[in-house]
Amino acid sequence: EDKVVQSPLSLVVHEGDTVTLNCSYEVTNFRSLLWYKQEKKAPTFLFMLTSSGIEKKSGRLSSILDKKELSSILNITATQTGDSAIYLCAVYYGGSQGNLIFGKGTKLSVKP
Amino acid sequence: DGGITQSPKYLFRKEGQNVTLSCEQNLNHDAMYWYRQDPGQGLRLIYYSQIVNDFQKGDIAEGYSVSREKKESFPLTVTSAQKNPTAFYLCASSIDIYNEQFFGPGTRLTVL
């Protein structure tokens, strides 16, 4: 069965801490992995990763894909209270019609 | 402003009634999607459409129906056959099915 597993499910840190969120997957014919941030409502896109070992960076956020380990990590440095959200990992896989499967998310709470 | 809009924001339905959730995008995206999110769960795909007049079932299509008569619009009907319709519904679109998806603000449906 195709699946995406995120860990931890929830995390509480203090401002200034660095956090690492994990996403592992088991799918047939992997195409890409995406990270989203979901605050109160709709998820917003963060990164799309297709190539192993190439880090994508945006400000204090960065992410990297390890195709050998079938996983990805999302790093947030110098966390701020505004980083509090659910971080969703999703994987595109399959044939010509494509499929997208989401993990359950990691709920990050950043305390002042 | 380009984006995705969903309406209504909140919807209350009596058991046995069909309801239709609206999703419109002006991003000129070919692909559109409907997801359902339950508390503590990741997003689950209901239906998706790669192009006008074509749509495919996702993981949990039972009790739902869609249409794609226009590129900009992808309405979702929650029928009385859907046994647990109370949830948060998210619509998304992307250039094609292999690129990042952009989400609308969501509709929260409650069955009374």
Side-chain angles (χ1 to χ4, degrees):
Chain A
E1 183 187 341
D2 301 302
K3 61 180 179 180
V4 174
V5 178
Q6 291 185 246
S7 64
L9 288 180
S10 66
L11 189 57
V12 181
V13 300
H14 288 94
E15 272 192 316
D17 289 349
T18 293
V19 297
T20 298
L21 310 183
N22 298 283
C23 176
S24 63
Y25 59 90
E26 290 180 30
V27 299
T28 305
N29 193 16
F30 170 89
R31 289 180 175 270
S32 60
L33 185 145
L34 299 94
W35 284 97
Y36 287 89
K37 177 182 181 182
Q38 185 175 19
E39 295 176 87
K40 291 183 181 175
K41 289 187 179 171
T44 53
F45 172 76
L46 294 175
F47 299 111
M48 182 175 185
L49 306 161
T50 54
S51 301
S52 198
I54 298 175
E55 184 183 53
K56 291 217 173 176
K57 202 168 169 67
S58 176
R60 295 177 294 102
L61 278 67
S62 64
S63 184
I64 195 162
L65 176 67
D66 186 339
K67 282 187 177 179
K68 189 176 175 184
E69 296 296 325
L70 306 182
S71 65
S72 173
I73 58 170
L74 175 68
N75 280 322
I76 308 174
T77 59
T79 52
Q80 301 171 357
T81 54
D83 294 327
S84 295
I86 295 173
Y87 289 84
L88 294 167
C89 172
V91 171
Y92 262 126
Y93 69 102
S96 58
Q97 290 188 335
N99 292 287
L100 183 67
I101 183 171
F102 281 81
K104 292 188 177 182
T106 293
K107 184 176 181 180
L108 175 64
S109 299
V110 181
K111 296 198 178 298
Chain B
D1 281 320
I4 304 173
T5 57
Q6 290 184 243
S7 61
K9 191 174 177 181
Y10 298 98
L11 186 58
F12 297 90
R13 183 194 99 172
K14 292 183 180 179
E15 280 192 26
Q17 285 182 335
N18 291 355
V19 289
T20 298
L21 282 57
S22 167
C23 177
E24 304 276 332
Q25 54 97 1
N26 61 4
L27 300 167
N28 200 31
H29 285 171
D30 282 322
M32 296 187 75
Y33 314 78
W34 274 105
Y35 293 93
R36 168 181 173 142
Q37 187 174 36
D38 295 285
Q41 301 289 323
L43 300 179
R44 291 186 291 167
L45 182 65
I46 304 173
Y47 269 97
Y48 69 101
S49 167
Q50 295 187 65
I51 56 172
V52 175
N53 292 323
D54 180 72
F55 47 83
Q56 306 292 334
K57 290 183 179 180
D59 301 319
I60 54 166
E62 187 175 347
Y64 300 98
S65 66
V66 293
S67 63
R68 186 86 186 277
E69 295 176 3
K70 298 186 299 182
K71 188 174 187 177
E72 303 78 20
S73 178
F74 192 41
L76 173 75
T77 297
V78 184
T79 74
S80 55
Q82 168 49 235
K83 298 197 185 310
N84 294 300
T86 294
F88 185 55
Y89 290 86
L90 281 162
C91 177
S93 71
S94 60
I95 294 173
D96 58 42
I97 60 169
Y98 301 118
N99 280 280
E100 62 267 28
Q101 296 178 17
F102 297 88
F103 288 81
T107 292
R108 189 166 297 281
L109 172 64
T110 303
V111 173
L112 304 172

